Structure formats: structure tokens, C-alpha cells
Amino acid sequence: MPLTIASLNINSVRARPHIVEQLVAARPVDILCLQETKCADAEFPRALFERLGLRHLHLHGQRMHHGVAIASRVPLAPVARHDWQANGEARHIAVRLQSGIVLHNVYVPAGGDIPDREANPKFGQKLDFLARMTDWSGASTEPAILVGDLNIAPLPEDVWDHRALLDVVSHTPVEVEALGHLQASHGWCDLGRRFVPPPQRLYSWWSYRARDWDASDRGRRLDHIWCSPALVDSSRSVETLRAARGWPKPSDHVPLIATFDL
DNA sequence: ATGGTCGAAAGTCGA
């Protein structure tokens, strides 16, 4: 039996129950990893997930901003809630699958608009978040899967216009380098690109501000599914569910769906 | 160079 893991920046879980329902109706999701749930754990819409069979909930939320959650058909064991900025923001939750594999669900800070540490502290915080994750990841040897909104589109084919976005936060060389260090620290395999290699374009986010997101197609690949080297041969597929961007009241991100034989 | 759109929250900010 394949195991299906989906990851989605839902941009408020309370505002978008219909997106969760449509996703689960469209694909056989076993474990759903959400980012930007934007609610405290006490406000989390538990009944929605229980009704959909995703009754094992592991929450790391906060009021208003950020927040990550894992909803699963299969039991999971809690592992950690990391705070790489030591500022209380809820951005990283980890659980253990019955097979022993650890699943990390991460929401990397967006980093503000100006790609300069001095002019924009949020940009420095994003780079520091990645550096602290890199230290942790380099020391970790157990087989793991890491999913989430990493808020960086690393490859030229991950954005609609590489040259135009070189100074736009999410695609600047310094961010791409930082993400590269994180990836190299553990030998993480970028499964999105294992199954959809360049020069194919692959996006997971389209701005709300576009007049016609589909026609202009000015997307970026901000969302990722990575796995440890030991798990690469167990991975079977990764799909970016582009159609979800056209669903009613969508998130600006679409789900990534990975299957593994584990 | 600007604004375009969302959500949560209050009458603005972060994305």
C-alpha cells in the first residue's frame, strides 16, 4: 500500500474548510501537512478533519499568524516543535510514523519585501532561520521526510522569469544559497524535481494579485517535499495540484502530493 | 513606480 503525504499552505484553515474537503475528495490523502493555519490550537476545526477520517491531529498553532498542523488517517507519535527563531512563532512540527520515519512540516518565514538584512530585519530572520535549521539538519542522521512552504524557489525553472526575480525575495541568490546549504547538510532529495526535472517549469504558488493567475502564469515553486537519501528509492511520485488554484476561494498555494512505498 | 488581493484583526499589517 502506498503512503500518500500532502502538503499545503492553506492561508487560514478556518477560512478554507472547503479546500480541505476538495483535496481529500480529489486524492487519497493519508497524511495532510498544513502551513499558515492562522489559529490557536483551541480554535482548530477538529470536527472537519475527524469527519474526513484524518482524526489523528498534531497541532502547533498560534493566534492570527503562522501555525502548522498534521492531520493523519494513521497514528503518529509527537516528536518536536522547533522554534528556530526563539521568538514563539509556530513554524515547525515533527512527528514519527509507525515505520519509524520522522516527518517534518515547516513554514519558513516569507522574509518581507526588501532583500537586505539592514533595511529589512525580516529578511535577516529568514536567513537566520535557515542557518539554524541547517545546523540541526546536518546533525540529524535518522531517515526523514521534510515538507512545507519553504518560501524559496531555488531553480531558474521554479519561477516564471528567472532574471526578473533575481532581486525579488524568494528567488535571490543569497536565499537560494541558504536553501542549498540546508539541503546539502543532510543530503535531502528534492522530490519535486526528482519527478519533474528541469527544464520543465514547476510552480506551487500564484499571487492573489494577478488579474488572471492561470493566463499570466507568473508562478513560483515555494513549496517542497524532501526526503533523506535512504528513502529516495521508496518515493513513487510527486504531484503539484495546479487545478486547486482555480477552486472557489482558493489558497494562493496549491497542494503537493507525494506517494511512498514505506 | 505603483498597485493589484487576501485573512485576521481591528480601523492595519503581513503575505
Side-chain angles (χ1 to χ4, degrees):
Chain A
M1 277 293 286
L3 180 75
T4 302
I5 299 175
S7 175
L8 169 64
N9 178 320
I10 195 166
N11 186 17
S12 172
V13 67
R14 287 177 296 174
R16 269 173 250 292
H18 55 286
I19 296 296
V20 175
E21 292 193 19
Q22 273 197 260
L23 170 57
V24 170
R27 295 293 184 276
V29 176
D30 295 310
I31 303 174
L32 176 57
C33 299
L34 298 173
Q35 305 89 38
E36 272 208 278
T37 52
K38 288 187 174 178
C39 68
D41 293 347
E43 317 297 328
F44 195 85
R46 291 175 168 274
L48 166 69
F49 292 87
E50 284 165 12
R51 178 157 52 78
L52 297 174
L54 298 165
R55 60 189 187 87
H56 302 279
L57 297 178
H58 293 260
L59 308 178
H60 183 27
Q62 70 180 91
R63 188 176 123 90
M64 286 194 287
H65 298 301
H66 324 306
V68 287
I70 300 174
S72 174
R73 295 191 189 285
V74 295
L76 305 168
V79 170
R81 292 170 167 177
H82 295 293
D83 180 358
W84 303 116
Q85 304 173 105
N87 66 356
E89 293 183 358
R91 296 181 175 276
H92 184 163
I93 187 170
V95 296
R96 191 180 303 276
L97 282 61
Q98 286 168 315
S99 59
I101 293 163
V102 177
L103 172 63
H104 298 278
N105 178 21
V106 183
Y107 176 44
V108 172
D113 286 335
I114 304 167
D116 182 301
R117 270 184 184 277
E118 306 307 319
N120 169 26
K122 291 182 184 300
F123 190 71
Q125 288 163 15
K126 180 180 193 175
L127 296 176
D128 293 344
F129 185 103
L130 291 163
R132 289 169 187 156
M133 271 198 81
T134 299
D135 290 341
W136 155 79
S137 161
S140 165
T141 55
E142 59 186 352
I145 296 167
L146 188 155
V147 310
D149 176 4
L150 304 186
N151 263 317
I152 296 173
L155 303 180
E157 297 85 359
D158 291 338
V159 295
W160 65 278
D161 186 331
H162 169 58
R163 289 181 62 183
L165 270 68
L166 279 172
D167 60 354
V168 173
V169 172
S170 73
H171 194 60
T172 64
V174 64
E175 290 169 272
V176 171
E177 181 182 38
L179 191 68
H181 287 147
L182 172 58
Q183 190 177 349
S185 68
H186 178 82
W188 294 107
C189 177
D190 174 356
L191 290 177
R193 283 313 193 175
R194 174 175 166 86
F195 292 103
V196 189
Q200 293 180 77
R201 303 232 171 219
L202 189 62
Y203 310 142
S204 66
W205 173 90
W206 291 261
S207 172
Y208 283 127
R209 300 178 191 178
R211 192 165 295 151
D212 184 335
W213 72 272
D214 196 18
S216 60
D217 200 20
R218 295 185 169 190
R220 306 178 202 170
R221 187 172 72 108
L222 303 179
D223 302 273
H224 300 272
I225 295 184
W226 290 357
C227 76
S228 299
L231 300 180
V232 173
D233 288 343
S234 304
S235 70
R236 290 291 171 267
S237 66
V238 171
E239 177 188 16
T240 299
L241 197 56
R242 180 184 172 110
R245 186 62 179 77
W247 292 349
K249 292 272 285 178
S251 170
D252 44 356
H253 296 252
V254 297
L256 264 56
I257 301 160
T259 62
F260 297 85
D261 280 327
L262 290 173

